């Protein structure tokens, strides 16, 4: 059976896109695998963007609580914080010595970030090497990720093969697993939902704030009576990824017939979100009142993760001659 591994950065509260695109599919795969999986919070990657210790800590907690609220089973999976396994930075160094600078220069994510962020630090540039180390450190076979992470996975496979070819079989070559049906959940502005834009839906907000966020979704300005093309409507696109097939069909029909306004459609989406995520919201709120429990689980996970990390590092060190 395959060893599943994935990480999520703690650059903010995980939003609907992260949850549907990364967290739910990863937990599902991990819970149904016979092998122990590795699910972690990439809080060292977050340092490329966040320089406030309280924010970094809080985001890390919120990310952990989200994983747990979406049924991560910490007995079946090794659940940990990246920063609790410092061995990963040593491996990242070795890998970076086996990867051409010119290839890193071609990374789309670095280009996007360096075009948009004020703080273009070298951590952003070497980000793919730390991510490769995250994956190769645990002999992972399958890495569930969003489409935007595919290039990073290609780099991971590439650096692992280069190392294996030059130094002898050392690393397992991982494969990416991309979720098809949830590719790119859109945000309230119709663009890809992202923590770095102000277009997210945070399902863990209290009811009133959540409703307000949904009411912000941008729409065309057709009247209630007019027939509407559901596939061009941001509210419908979001409804489609949340609601049951039956509900989606019903709403589709109402759009094409006319007689439904955007306000009502948003109201339906809001209730659908509350409905679908009511148990997860409850668990999340419970964990925010029990932070010590989350900390305890993360530390237990770190002990298991470090053991594996130290084994792999021993293998790598002997290959490079240390
Ligand atoms: P963000 O773009 O909000 O900063 P991250 O880059 O931290 O999100 O992504 C964490 C995980 O969530 C990745 O696997 C990514 O592909 C997935 N993801 C992020 N945004 C979306 C989205 N809008 N739709 C689907 N998956 C997403
Ligand atoms: N770069 C990933 C993202 O932004 C997060 C991440 C860090 C990751 N290390 C990883 C994902 C290892 C999968 C495997 O989403």
């Amino acid at each position: 059976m395959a060893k599943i591994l994935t990480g999520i950065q703690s650059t903010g509260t995980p939003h609907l896109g992260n949850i549907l695109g990364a967290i739910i599919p990863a937990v599902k795969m991990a819970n149904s695998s016979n092998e122990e999986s590795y699910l972690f919070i990439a809080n060292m990657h977050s340092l490329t963007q966040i320089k406030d210790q309280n924010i970094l800590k809080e985001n890390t907690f919120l990310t952990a609580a989200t994983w747990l609220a979406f049924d991560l089973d910490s007995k079946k999976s090794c659940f940990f914080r990246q920063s609790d396994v410092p061995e990963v930075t040593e491996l990242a160094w070795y890998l970076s010595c086996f990867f051409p600078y010119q290839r890193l220069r071609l990374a789309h994510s670095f280009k996007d970030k360096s075009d948009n962020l004020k703080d273009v630090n070298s951590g952003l540039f070497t980000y793919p090497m730390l991510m490769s180390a995250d994956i190769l450190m645990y002999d992972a076979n399958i890495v569930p990720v969003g489409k935007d992470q595919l290039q990073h996975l290609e780099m991971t496979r590439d650096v692992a093969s280069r190392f294996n070819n030059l130094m002898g079989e050392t690393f397992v070559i991982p494969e990416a697993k991309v979720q098809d049906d949830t590719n790119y959940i859109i945000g309230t502005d119709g663009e890809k939902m992202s923590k770095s834009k102000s277009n997210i839906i945070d399902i863990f907000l209290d009811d009133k704030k959540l409703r307000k966020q949904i009411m912000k979704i941008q729409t065309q300005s057709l009247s209630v009576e007019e027939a509407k093309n559901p596939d061009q409507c941001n509210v419908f696109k979001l409804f489609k990824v949340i609601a049951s097939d039956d509900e989606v069909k019903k709403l589709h029909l109402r759009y094409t017939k006319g007689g439904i306004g955007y306000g009502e459609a948003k109201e339906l989406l809001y209730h659908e979100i509350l409905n679908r995520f009511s148990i997860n919201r409850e668990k999340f709120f419970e964990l925010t009142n029990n932070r010590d429990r989350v900390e305890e689980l993360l530390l237990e996970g770190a002990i298991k993760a470090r053991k594996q990390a130290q084994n792999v590092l021993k293998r790598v060190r002997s290959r490079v001659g240390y």
Side-chain angles (χ1 to χ4, degrees):
M1 263 308 274
K3 218 186 225 189
I4 317 284
L5 173 145
T6 198
I8 187 159
Q9 273 199 85
S10 45
T11 36
T13 318
H15 52 69
L16 189 61
N18 301 141
I19 290 170
L20 295 175
I23 293 180
I24 293 178
V27 169
K28 213 172 178 181
M29 287 177 77
N31 286 354
S32 60
S33 171
N34 293 337
E35 280 221 42
E36 186 166 51
S37 303
Y38 289 78
L39 302 176
F40 67 96
I41 302 149
N43 63 340
M44 292 173 100
H45 278 113
S46 316
L47 190 60
T48 57
Q49 290 183 50
I50 298 181
K51 303 293 193 292
D52 178 312
Q53 54 170 279
N54 292 324
I55 296 179
L56 194 60
K57 241 187 216 163
E58 184 59 11
N59 286 345
T60 302
F61 167 78
L62 295 172
T63 310
T66 306
W67 276 116
L68 293 167
F70 278 89
D71 301 328
L72 181 151
D73 179 352
S74 61
K75 288 199 186 71
K76 281 209 75 182
S77 300
C78 185
F79 174 52
F80 63 101
R81 251 180 315 229
Q82 188 184 29
S83 61
D84 287 336
V85 188
E87 286 81 357
V88 75
T89 56
E90 185 178 333
L91 181 56
W93 174 253
Y94 299 144
L95 296 176
S96 65
C97 295
F98 284 80
F99 200 68
Y101 162 76
Q102 288 299 350
R103 285 270 283 122
L104 272 186
R105 280 193 54 200
L106 298 176
H108 312 306
S109 79
F110 177 69
K111 186 155 185 349
D112 289 350
K113 286 176 182 163
S114 56
D115 286 348
N116 292 311
L117 298 176
K118 267 196 235 130
D119 173 17
V120 184
N121 54 68
S122 359
L124 279 178
F125 185 67
T126 53
Y127 184 112
M129 293 295 100
L130 183 58
M131 179 157 163
S132 299
D134 285 331
I135 298 169
L136 301 175
M137 189 58 122
Y138 303 99
D139 291 333
N141 309 103
I142 306 276
V143 185
V145 278
K147 219 173 164 184
D148 57 337
Q149 296 297 313
L150 276 180
Q151 196 187 33
H152 288 153
L153 256 294
E154 272 320 306
M155 292 188 184
T156 305
R157 291 164 58 85
D158 189 357
V159 72
S161 306
R162 283 170 194 265
F163 191 101
N164 285 352
N165 288 339
L166 274 167
M167 314 305 279
E169 270 321 292
T170 309
F171 294 119
V172 171
I173 311 288
E175 267 174 49
K177 172 95 177 75
V178 184
Q179 279 301 109
D180 286 334
D181 54 344
T182 50
N183 271 351
Y184 295 149
I185 306 297
I186 58 158
T188 52
D189 57 357
E191 301 287 313
K192 179 185 174 240
M193 189 180 293
S194 175
K195 285 172 226 140
S196 54
K197 300 186 201 138
S198 48
N199 70 352
I200 69 157
I201 294 179
D202 173 2
I203 65 153
F204 297 123
L205 287 177
D206 66 45
D207 296 14
K208 220 170 140 188
K209 287 191 183 139
L210 176 60
R211 187 172 175 280
K212 209 167 151 193
Q213 224 166 40
I214 289 164
M215 292 299 152
K216 255 183 44 188
I217 299 173
Q218 290 172 18
T219 58
Q220 293 173 311
S221 47
L222 299 171
S223 68
V224 174
E225 300 77 39
E226 279 175 280
K228 299 170 184 67
N229 181 346
D231 300 322
Q232 282 174 2
C233 175
N234 294 333
V235 184
F236 185 82
K237 285 183 196 165
L238 284 163
F239 191 85
K240 207 170 152 181
V241 293
I242 302 286
S244 68
D245 290 352
D246 257 12
E247 295 295 330
V248 173
K249 260 190 215 149
K250 268 195 237 160
L251 190 63
H252 192 278
L253 193 64
R254 293 192 64 196
Y255 263 72
T256 50
K257 271 174 119 179
I260 180 164
Y262 294 112
E264 187 186 344
K266 287 176 184 175
E267 209 60 67
L268 289 174
L269 174 63
Y270 165 63
H271 286 288
E272 209 53 52
I273 288 179
L274 286 184
N275 220 349
R276 165 141 178 211
F277 298 120
S278 70
I279 294 173
N280 312 99
R281 278 164 54 88
E282 228 168 81
K283 280 192 190 158
F284 183 89
F285 297 140
E286 240 172 66
L287 290 167
T288 50
N289 290 322
N290 196 356
R291 291 179 173 238
D292 290 350
R293 177 69 191 136
V294 176
E295 186 62 25
E296 206 180 298
L297 290 173
L298 287 170
L299 291 178
E300 278 169 19
I303 292 173
K304 285 197 280 181
R306 280 195 90 172
K307 219 184 227 170
Q308 164 74 5
Q310 281 159 4
N311 278 337
V312 174
L313 256 192
K314 211 189 261 172
R315 207 195 290 159
V316 180
R317 280 163 162 254
S318 84
R319 289 284 190 215
V320 291
Y322 297 149

